[in-house]
Amino acid sequence: MHRFRLGLADLATTWFACSPIQEAALSLRMWTHPGHYALQMPAFERLRPAFERLDTVLLRSLVSEVRWIPDFLTPRPTGPAPDFRAELALVRALPPERLRPELEQTFRPHGQPLPPPLAAGLADPARLLARIADALEEYWEVCLAPAWWPQARAVLEADLVYRARVLAQHGAAALFADLCHRLRWEDGVLSIDRRWTAQDRDITVDGRGLVLTPTFFAHGVVTMIGNDRAPQLSYPARGQGAMAGPPAPVTTRALELLVGAPKARLLALLAEPASTTDLAYRLGVTPGAVSQHLAVLHRTGLVTRARNGRSVLYSRSPLGDELTGGPRRP
């Protein structure tokens, strides 16, 4: 059991971020444990030819048999929407003498020796660190950044808007309960049930702030903590099914007759928040065409919009839910 002790000031400074380098590092699990993340398999199978041209031996070696990766590959975000290169600079800035302990705490607790590429590289830790960072950067540039990340970012940003709404409308207890069934909030303590480890830890946040980051590559909440690390939790993102490819929107003929087929399809997709770019991709049309229809739907009160960083995310309003017969959201 891990327990985060949060005062009122700590709770007030709890915030959300979507981290590109976290998703890049955690996505390495797709190449070592693909069956664990079935919703992401179609997208990553499309990326396989590009991935196989990279330093796959080194990249795969960074994932342990139990899917752990070194914590230094997922630095704590410095803002709600950090840039990949800025985060990669934090990875490169790791003091070389810390590389061995970082790697050992990933593999040794489960009796696994360091993989040969890492064990051999530790003869020159500075060079090994540079190789790891270079390989991760190439993986990002070749596989993820061109098409995967823009769509992934839209899904993650939609998750953040949803979580902010839950927190504002229902409070911290409802927020944490909705993030993961292993989380419990009570009397200023956020408890995480970690049945796979016998070690109990009590962490006093003590003004450092708690960062919550959605991810595609976890089935439950994941902690990244240490004596010199500010606390961070990653949790499964909502709406992951959208990453499998454009869905076939389900609409009724009556709704199409009322608002037109394009607007009916948009309303069907907006059960979860989405950006104009994401909607255009999923519908196979231009962002300009989507913007025109969204403007009409917004003026008529069928959709709402909220800004998240540089993106504007749209979702169905309660009236839109009534019209489509869709579920009411928190």
Side-chain angles (χ1 to χ4, degrees):
M1 182 79 71
H2 284 175
R3 290 174 287 270
F4 290 84
R5 301 189 180 277
L6 294 92
L8 289 177
D10 297 317
L11 191 59
T13 55
T14 294
W15 52 285
F16 289 88
C18 57
S19 166
I21 203 166
Q22 170 184 271
E23 294 308 279
L26 293 181
S27 76
L28 295 176
R29 295 168 169 175
M30 288 299 302
W31 310 111
T32 57
H33 300 76
H36 285 269
Y37 311 102
L39 290 174
Q40 308 311 319
M41 287 181 67
F44 277 79
E45 280 305 310
R46 292 191 291 271
L47 296 174
R48 183 175 295 278
F51 178 75
E52 295 297 341
R53 294 195 295 268
L54 306 179
D55 189 351
T56 58
V57 173
L58 179 61
L59 289 170
R60 286 189 172 104
S61 75
L62 295 169
V63 184
S64 76
E65 293 175 354
V66 295
R67 290 176 285 134
W68 284 18
I69 64 170
D71 278 353
F72 77 92
L73 295 178
T74 55
R76 175 180 157 113
T78 56
D83 176 73
F84 175 82
R85 287 177 179 79
E87 293 190 299
L88 185 64
L90 297 176
V91 173
R92 293 187 185 278
L94 180 78
E97 65 271 14
R98 286 183 50 191
L99 184 58
R100 179 183 291 275
E102 288 275 347
L103 295 175
E104 288 181 345
Q105 75 177 8
T106 301
F107 297 94
R108 295 288 169 80
H110 301 280
Q112 182 182 352
L114 288 181
L118 303 181
L122 283 173
D124 187 345
R127 183 172 181 271
L128 176 59
L129 179 62
R131 281 188 60 212
I132 292 171
D134 289 346
L136 192 61
E137 182 175 23
E138 186 179 25
Y139 173 52
W140 173 261
E141 294 292 345
V142 171
C143 293
L144 303 183
W148 184 85
W149 175 244
Q151 188 187 4
R153 180 175 56 196
V155 173
L156 297 176
E157 288 176 344
D159 178 279
L160 300 191
V161 170
Y162 170 83
R163 304 300 178 185
R165 183 168 61 235
V166 172
L167 179 60
Q169 295 179 355
H170 302 284
L175 169 68
F176 291 128
D178 194 46
L179 291 180
C180 178
H181 68 279
R182 292 203 297 261
L183 286 177
R184 187 175 72 254
W185 170 255
E186 186 177 10
D187 297 330
V189 177
L190 179 62
S191 300
I192 307 168
D193 183 6
R194 292 170 59 103
R195 292 188 176 91
W196 63 89
T197 177
Q199 183 183 24
D200 281 3
R201 298 194 64 169
D202 274 52
I203 302 98
T204 302
V205 176
D206 195 23
R208 294 178 293 171
L210 176 64
V211 182
L212 305 170
T213 55
T215 181
F216 294 106
F217 307 104
H219 295 300
V221 69
V222 178
T223 60
M224 280 157 273
I225 57 176
N227 295 332
D228 57 345
R229 300 182 192 275
Q232 176 183 344
L233 300 180
S234 294
Y235 61 88
R238 290 169 55 89
Q240 297 192 35
M243 299 300 294
V250 178
T251 61
T252 66
R253 179 61 178 163
L255 181 59
E256 290 185 2
L257 290 173
L258 179 64
V259 300
K263 296 180 183 65
R265 294 189 186 99
L266 282 172
L267 285 173
L269 290 176
L270 286 173
E272 300 293 343
S275 68
T276 301
T277 302
D278 183 39
L279 292 167
Y281 169 81
R282 296 166 71 181
L283 289 172
V285 299
T286 66
V290 170
S291 293
Q292 292 178 19
H293 292 302
L294 287 174
V296 174
L297 292 171
H298 183 259
R299 286 199 299 270
T300 55
L302 295 177
V303 303
T304 62
R305 61 190 181 194
R307 178 166 291 279
N308 184 70
R310 292 173 292 179
S311 299
V312 175
L313 301 182
Y314 293 83
S315 59
R316 284 199 309 249
S317 68
L319 178 61
D321 283 343
E322 292 285 351
L323 188 64
T324 60
R328 294 182 180 273
R329 299 177 302 276

